[in-house]
Amino acid sequence: MSLINAIFTAAFDNNLVFTQVIGLVSVIILAGRPFDAVRFGCLLGLATAASGILGSALYAGFLAPWGTAYFAPAVIAVLNAAIVYAASAVMSCGLAGADRLAALRRGGMLSASAALLGVTLSNTVAFDAGTATAETLMGTAIGSGAGVFLAVVLFALVRQRVDDALVPKALRGLPISLVTASLMALAFSGVAGIAGGMFA
């Protein structure tokens, strides 16, 4: 039950993008057409979950016992880049040359997303404090990945509706995207505490 509680808490109550404002830049850049947002949101969500699981295991199994925890951000950043580039290469296998190049470019941008580093470093802090079990660390990683996927897809859908509306000229582009992101963050923080409490 603690695994399910950790998944729902990380996905909805402590959403990396809208509640903690980690990785918002990559979400704004990726949220184009809804079809592309689903594909790249899935890539970012899976990479975030894999980064959280593998990075936490790497920290708990090697870095912390050997007394080299100060290397964690650099090691985890290299691990994140490897995960995202491998996933981008797999995702772009059946695409044409130009689409494959665009997917690999987006993969390079995704590897620098703060969401990948944020979930792993928050898991390492919980591990150091002694408050986390293997179930909660895994649940937090999976829930964070699901929350990032949800953020990319929802933001793309809302952004498409906003782009179709009559937006004043001064607010078109990035300003209306930031207003939309702030309203979605307000909506997510308004339901904080509900999702995780259902499985307590």
Side-chain angles (χ1 to χ4, degrees):
M1 196 57 88
S2 62
L3 176 69
I4 296 173
N5 186 27
I7 290 173
F8 275 86
T9 300
F12 296 105
D13 295 346
N14 296 328
N15 188 289
L16 277 177
V17 177
F18 291 129
T19 305
Q20 300 179 25
V21 195
I22 298 174
L24 184 61
V25 173
S26 59
V27 169
I28 288 174
I29 292 171
L30 284 177
R33 297 176 303 176
F35 176 74
D36 291 338
V38 168
R39 189 172 55 185
F40 286 109
C42 186
L43 173 65
L44 184 59
L46 289 174
T48 302
S51 171
I53 292 170
L54 295 176
S56 301
L58 182 68
Y59 183 83
F62 296 104
L63 296 176
W66 290 354
T68 56
Y70 50 87
F71 282 129
V75 170
I76 291 169
V78 170
L79 175 69
N80 294 342
I83 289 171
V84 172
Y85 276 117
S88 297
V90 169
M91 190 180 86
S92 64
C93 278
L95 299 176
D99 293 335
R100 183 182 305 127
L101 188 61
L104 290 175
R105 273 194 209 124
R106 289 244 173 134
M109 182 180 58
L110 286 179
S111 66
S113 176
L116 297 167
L117 195 59
V119 63
T120 310
L121 291 182
S122 67
N123 276 352
T124 59
V125 168
F127 177 79
D128 284 341
T131 60
T133 62
E135 278 187 343
T136 58
L137 292 177
M138 186 175 293
T140 301
I142 293 170
S144 296
V148 168
F149 169 74
L150 189 68
V152 171
V153 172
L154 286 177
F155 191 73
L157 291 173
V158 170
R159 189 174 182 180
Q160 182 186 26
R161 295 289 303 263
V162 168
D163 286 345
D164 292 342
L166 294 174
V167 179
K169 189 174 181 180
L171 288 177
R172 288 185 188 148
L174 183 61
I176 196 67
S177 296
L178 293 176
V179 170
T180 304
S182 63
L183 291 175
M184 292 182 76
L186 188 64
F188 267 83
S189 64
V191 296
I194 296 174
M198 292 183 346
F199 300 100

